[in-house]
Amino acid sequence: MPSWFETRRSLIVSLADLQSGFIAHLRAPAAPPPDSLVASGGTPPNRRFNVYRNNVVASLIEALRASFPVVERLVGEEFFKATARAYIDHEPPKSPLMFLYGETFGAFLDAFPPAASVPYLGDVARLEFARLTAFHAVDKAPITIDHLSRLPQDQLGETEFQLHPSLTLLASRWPLFSLWAASSGEQSGEEVNLDNAEEVIVVRPHYDVDTRRLPGGGDSFIKALAEGLSLGEAAGLATAASEQFDLAQHLNGLFDLGAVTAVDIAHS
Amino acid sequence: MDNSAKISPVIPKRAGVGLKAAHYDRILQDRPDIGWFEVHAENYMGAGGLPHRTLETIRQSYPLSLHGVGLSIGGDKPLDLAHLARLRDLNQRYEPGLFSEHLAWSTHDDFFFNDLLPVPYTQEALTRCSDHIDQVQESLGRQMLLENPSTYVAFAESSMSEIEFLKTLTARTGCGLLLDVNNVFVSATNHDYSPEDYIDAFPIEHVGEIHLGGHARDQDDHGAPLLIDAHDRAVADPVWALYERTIARTGNLPTLIEWDNELPDWQELFAEAQSADAILVRNQTEPDRVAR
């Protein structure tokens, strides 16, 4: 039996206090190990306690690297790790599900002064988180555009759409799709013009996550459909948002992407 | 709910490996001759998509063990009921042959620290752990296995040994134990006791599964060896020796190769499992040294 089992102190410390103390010291990098730990040779077990500090931070940094590979490629590994460390300190995860961690990473990057020279980084993070969310989203079979032609053609304007549960829209003031694609290996060699704003759709109809740049008016159109507005209302909003809006092109594109799971004439 | 045919959930007394997404394609293509797979439950708690499709396919052909890493059984706070419900759903969906979790905690003040933090071996912690294990076993409707931890520090407050703590938990809750032989070697080195004595004193009648994994080497403030349970390399030779000593006592048991970081290619991981299988085959042909 090792001697440290016999080391008893006079005061019984509650489990709650032991754990609160452990975490308080864990989260303060400059703090010594908590008093509740056995010291050996009269010195606090600094390096031993640091194993836990390192494990927590390193495993969370790895989780963020796995979820935000394009952000890392845009800023480099060293900068990414320092940024991730600051984010982890600012907002540790609340769930044991690591694919839920990082929902606010985009907002954090928007306001993170060292990243100010890369102002589109937050949008790229939001796009990557949308892709992660789509990857794990509930399965649902998409329908083809034939379903639309089977509805009474004189009432098409009143059609309501159910869109795929994995779908996310991102309207960026930056060329978000181009920036992401140029660094994700999906597309390369294209010159990115930072003056172009781009709208992006993320959807996972089957098992592969699809990420596309939307043609003009796409964000207004799909957002309106997602909110339950009719096809006629959505087309009206999209035309108001963009002169280039082309209803046939958008409808075909939406079905081709597998982003529609049901269509029905509104009964209201 | 998945109604596809699955082979028997019973985990054979052979080697298995931790299932990693990086190896999905190779496994589905080769259908390797391996006893079983283990998954971290938290990686399959999304609603749908590729992880579930792959796991369903693999489960049709292989027995599966479900290993939780996020329940925080050693935490002072009540268990996360939503997390427990997710475990129950996975247990129903995949019919794993074994379910295990850790003697550790990871959640505090609503934050999840993504590491297996150490539990003080006190009467109060014993009560809290046994209540939590009761709750898990009731919720899942099955026995769970509790894994001995790798530890780097000890609490002055501890009033009993780790083995006493684990033994009392099995007696109070009826849970089984997952004996991680690498953790034994890591903790014994870090706290300067004999890993052989620990194995010899372990309540083997409750062990339902063995873990083997790789560890990293460091030093503490005094230059003494400090081993870290890194799961980032092959199983070390002294851990293989300790494993042979263990199964000579327990008889053959389902044995998992854990490799979670710096992942090797499939062939290297598979070779580790074959090494464990070879030891199990050799052990089987020798007379039992201990009655089971």
Side-chain angles (χ1 to χ4, degrees), chain B residues 208-259:
Chain B
E209 180 182 341
I210 291 178
H211 273 185
L212 298 172
H215 59 255
R217 266 184 178 276
D218 202 350
Q219 288 185 344
D220 76 358
D221 296 289
H222 302 280
L226 179 59
L227 302 188
I228 297 164
D229 180 35
H231 295 182
D232 63 348
R233 64 194 75 191
V235 177
D237 288 343
V239 174
W240 282 119
L242 203 55
Y243 172 60
E244 294 197 50
R245 184 185 187 98
T246 305
I247 58 168
R249 273 198 82 208
T250 59
N252 285 358
L253 282 172
T255 301
L256 183 83
I257 305 293
E258 286 188 298
W259 200 324

Side-chain angles (χ1 to χ4, degrees), chain B residues 125-192:
Chain B
L126 197 52
T127 303
R128 201 73 85 256
C129 287
S130 79
D131 288 350
H132 288 164
I133 293 168
D134 283 343
Q135 193 183 356
V136 173
Q137 294 187 137
E138 202 166 300
S139 173
L140 268 59
R142 67 178 302 161
Q143 186 195 41
M144 65 165 283
L145 305 179
L146 187 70
E147 178 176 340
N148 60 297
S150 273
T151 57
Y152 312 107
V153 297
F155 289 92
E157 215 62 38
S158 288
S159 58
M160 67 193 94
S161 73
E162 186 171 288
I163 286 182
E164 266 181 273
F165 195 90
L166 288 167
K167 255 188 197 168
T168 312
L169 284 176
T170 61
R172 284 195 192 171
T173 68
C175 75
L177 297 173
L178 191 170
L179 176 55
D180 187 316
V181 176
N182 180 60
N183 287 356
V184 171
F185 188 75
V186 166
S187 292
T189 306
N190 291 346
H191 302 300
D192 197 22

Side-chain angles (χ1 to χ4, degrees), chain A residues 1 55 64 77 118 129 135 141 154 159 167 170 208 247 254:
Chain A
M1 178 86 25
N55 281 352
L64 291 171
E77 183 179 332
V118 198
F129 194 77
F135 182 78
D154 57 334
T159 309
L167 186 148
L170 299 111
D208 295 322
L247 179 59
L254 206 53

Side-chain angles (χ1 to χ4, degrees), chain A residues 67-234:
Chain A
S67 299
F68 299 95
V70 175
V71 172
E72 182 179 356
R73 240 167 273 153
L74 285 168
V75 298
E77 183 179 332
E78 198 180 334
F79 188 90
F80 184 87
K81 283 184 170 175
T83 305
R85 192 179 283 266
Y87 176 65
I88 291 160
D89 190 46
H90 178 257
E91 198 168 324
K94 293 196 165 172
S95 165
L97 309 189
M98 280 300 110
F99 56 82
L100 299 181
Y101 187 45
E103 186 175 9
T104 57
F105 193 42
F108 177 82
L109 291 170
D110 289 344
F112 188 55
S117 62
V118 198
Y120 46 79
L121 213 51
D123 279 2
V124 175
R126 278 181 280 271
L127 171 55
E128 293 205 278
F129 194 77
R131 286 175 48 83
L132 186 65
T133 304
F135 182 78
H136 290 283
V138 70
D139 298 328
K140 199 161 182 185
I143 59 170
T144 59
I145 200 162
D146 304 351
H147 287 74
L148 206 55
S149 51
R150 284 181 220 146
L151 296 173
Q153 296 300 297
D154 57 334
Q155 294 176 52
L156 274 189
E158 286 124 77
T159 309
E160 289 180 359
F161 282 55
Q162 269 182 36
L163 301 181
H164 200 276
S166 66
L167 186 148
T168 300
L169 297 166
L170 299 111
S172 175
R173 53 181 282 227
W174 304 102
L176 177 57
F177 176 83
S178 303
L179 287 164
W180 171 82
S183 294
S184 70
E186 300 245 336
Q187 187 178 319
S188 60
E190 194 179 307
E191 199 64 32
V192 177
N193 181 352
L194 287 180
D195 293 334
N196 293 342
E198 288 180 354
E199 297 172 352
V200 182
I201 183 170
V202 172
V203 67
R204 198 209 83 224
H206 300 290
Y207 295 104
D208 295 322
V209 179
D210 212 338
T211 306
R212 304 286 183 97
R213 173 173 37 208
L214 288 168
D219 183 69
S220 308
F221 177 59
I222 302 167
K223 193 177 282 168
L225 291 178
E227 284 166 359
L229 298 186
S230 69
L231 181 57
E233 291 166 319

Side-chain angles (χ1 to χ4, degrees), chain B residues 73-87:
Chain B
I73 280 179
D76 176 60
K77 300 283 164 57
L79 296 181
D80 176 348
L81 293 181
H83 196 66
L84 198 52
R86 290 191 289 262
L87 281 173

